[in-house]
Amino acid sequence: MSFLVLLRVCLRALLRNKMRSVLTALGIIIGVAAVVSMVGITTGARNTVQSQISALGDNVFMIFSGTVSRTGTRTSWGSVNSLTEQDATALRTQCPSVRAISPAIRLGAQLIYGNTNWSTQLWGVAPDYVDIRRYEVVSGRMLNETDLRGAAKVCLVGKTVVDNLFEGNDPVGSVIRIRRLPFEVIGVLGEKGQSAMGHDQDDLTIIPLTTAAKKFQGGNTRINMILGSAVGGDLVEQAQGEITDVLRARHRIGPKDDDDFIIRTQADISQTVEESSRTMTMLLASVAFVSLLVGGIGIMNIMLVSVTERTREIGIRMAVGARPRDILLQFLTEAVVLAAIGGVLGVLLGIGVSATISKLAGWATEISPVAAFVSVGFSGLVGIFFGFYPARKASLLDPIEALRYE
């Protein structure tokens, strides 16, 4: 019997009980749909987060205050600002692998323009901050050293601030009040969207670091963080080592004492995202495996019923010359075709589920052709594994006993 004839016979047998065939393949359909849709969602989410991490800048690192020990008492992470503006200056001059550096003071502030107000994040930074974060100045100018040295009362605003305070009009040259002090808007930052943590990167106002320290911190030079970038991607780790040496020396940290600062790089953030994605993938793989296992058991169960129902048919086929190998191949093909059809329907259902979730929730999804082909192929293997026993049982039937079966 040729393969096409065999396939036609199998399809005819499956179509004889359409509802039963669909219900039998339901486990395979759900399992494959779960794999395709979840892989699409996690791939889309991972790509989105990776692009947001890249939007932080090139070879960026961040330094935060860590735990601090004083008179035998250890404070929690970040509860005390152990970093100063002088630390940033030392890193800029003593670390050859560091390309740019900017200390930063982060505050909350209400901005007032005319009769409108808006609460946003206020960042006191050095001019290098805009370059490190790869912000573009779409209107006006950026901060410069003159603004920094003179503690000028000037600011740059993000798109969200422009939309809510100036109704989308160009605010360059306008004077706004920040914590009751007048500031001239000298520039507008280009749009960046959400960060990897879901924060709106356009909802901010930037002022010179010296202005923030003098006007809002009473001259205190303690800073919240230091942001910088390495000379090249292959020098990030080297820059990390240089920064550690400089800060440990400046903070007089003993050889056996812990750092009172923490350095985070883009690679650290990417690794965290990858670990989360890997955990989610393992969870989904477990769900898909259980679904396919249930689907395979359903196929074996129905095939055993089919062998019993078609015992006389098997006897007749053997009586007219069919060999046990032909009977085994026929029932095995039926099981594989049933599982493969379930796999194809599962892929279509998974694509539909991904598209629906993307439309309703606004999530980026990306269907992987590899995942779709692998899912269909794996469902075929499930059909072979769980269909072999019923097919072998049919092939071992005695033709005489099969013809006598009522």
Side-chain angles (χ1 to χ4, degrees):
M1 185 184 298
S2 68
F3 177 73
L4 290 178
V5 175
L6 177 63
L7 190 60
R8 191 165 58 244
V9 170
C10 294
L11 289 174
R12 192 181 302 143
L14 293 175
L15 292 174
R16 200 177 299 157
N17 296 290
K18 299 184 185 66
M19 182 58 68
R20 189 172 73 178
S21 299
V22 171
L23 293 176
T24 303
L26 199 56
I28 301 291
I29 294 173
I30 293 174
V32 172
V35 171
V36 172
S37 59
M38 292 299 105
V39 167
I41 292 171
T42 53
T43 303
R46 185 171 62 245
N47 291 342
T48 300
V49 172
Q50 290 293 356
S51 66
Q52 290 170 343
I53 292 173
S54 299
L56 285 174
D58 294 328
N59 315 316
V60 171
F61 58 81
M62 291 160 280
I63 309 169
F64 301 95
S65 298
T67 57
V68 178
S69 298
R70 287 177 181 167
T71 61
T73 303
R74 282 170 59 83
T75 60
S76 59
W77 183 87
S79 60
V80 175
N81 286 347
S82 59
L83 302 173
T84 64
E85 187 180 346
Q86 290 73 24
D87 289 333
T89 303
L91 296 179
R92 187 181 292 117
T93 57
Q94 299 178 28
C95 298
S97 300
V98 173
R99 183 183 65 86
I101 206 91
S102 172
I105 296 173
R106 185 174 60 183
L107 304 164
Q110 185 182 50
L111 313 183
I112 299 175
Y113 178 68
N115 297 324
T116 310
N117 65 82
W118 180 251
S119 294
T120 185
Q121 285 190 359
L122 181 66
W123 286 86
V125 297
D128 280 344
Y129 178 85
V130 176
D131 175 48
I132 295 168
R133 291 294 316 276
R134 290 198 309 187
Y135 273 111
E136 293 183 3
V137 178
V138 296
S139 178
R141 66 173 179 87
M142 59 193 304
L143 295 176
N144 56 38
E145 290 296 331
T146 303
D147 299 326
L148 189 67
R149 285 195 298 271
K153 289 191 288 187
V154 296
C155 66
L156 288 91
V157 293
K159 185 176 183 304
T160 301
V161 176
V162 174
D163 291 342
N164 288 280
L165 208 59
F166 301 97
E167 297 180 347
N169 298 318
D170 189 352
V172 175
S174 303
V175 176
I176 62 175
R177 300 186 73 82
I178 303 176
R179 293 192 173 187
R180 300 182 181 179
L181 294 177
F183 279 75
E184 179 188 358
V185 179
I186 60 171
V188 177
L189 300 172
E191 187 174 0
K192 291 200 75 169
Q194 289 189 342
S195 70
M197 305 301 175
H199 298 151
D200 183 359
Q201 299 181 92
D202 303 314
D203 191 5
L204 83 167
T205 297
I206 292 175
I207 63 176
L209 178 79
T210 48
T211 309
K214 288 182 179 178
K215 301 299 181 184
F216 303 131
Q217 290 199 152
N220 190 344
T221 58
R222 295 283 176 183
I223 56 178
N224 299 118
M225 63 179 290
I226 297 173
L227 194 74
S229 65
V231 174
D234 54 341
L235 294 178
V236 173
E237 192 172 343
Q238 183 175 327
Q240 201 169 346
E242 294 170 358
I243 291 167
T244 301
D245 293 339
V246 171
L247 290 182
R248 285 185 67 88
R250 284 187 54 80
H251 295 184
R252 299 177 180 175
I253 300 173
K256 296 182 180 178
D257 295 331
D258 296 333
D259 297 339
D260 63 351
F261 56 90
I262 295 172
I263 305 174
R264 290 284 181 267
T265 65
Q266 285 174 299
D268 295 331
I269 301 174
S270 296
Q271 186 177 358
T272 303
V273 172
E274 285 297 327
E275 288 176 356
S276 302
S277 178
R278 195 177 301 118
T279 302
M280 181 63 73
T281 302
M282 292 299 294
L283 177 65
L284 297 175
S286 302
V287 173
F289 176 76
V290 171
S291 298
L292 292 174
L293 182 64
V294 172
I297 293 173
I299 288 176
M300 185 168 66
N301 185 37
I302 291 301
M303 291 306 297
L304 285 172
V305 173
S306 180
V307 169
T308 303
E309 290 177 345
R310 295 158 63 187
T311 299
R312 282 183 61 82
E313 175 189 331
I314 295 170
I316 293 172
R317 287 184 181 275
M318 287 182 167
V320 297
R323 296 165 296 180
R325 188 181 63 181
D326 298 327
I327 302 298
L328 184 143
L329 192 59
Q330 177 186 345
F331 280 89
L332 192 58
T333 304
E334 285 185 22
V336 173
V337 169
L338 187 59
I341 290 175
V344 172
L345 293 177
V347 169
L348 297 177
L349 180 61
I351 293 173
V353 170
S354 298
T356 302
I357 291 176
S358 178
K359 187 174 183 180
L360 294 179
W363 295 353
T365 59
E366 185 174 322
I367 300 299
S368 168
V370 175
F373 281 114
V374 170
S375 298
V376 174
F378 191 75
S379 61
L381 292 177
V382 169
I384 294 175
F385 184 80
F386 287 96
F388 182 78
Y389 174 70
R392 179 170 172 77
K393 183 179 179 182
S395 68
L396 295 178
L397 287 176
D398 182 276
I400 305 301
E401 295 296 327
L403 287 170
R404 289 177 177 173
Y405 184 80
E406 295 292 339

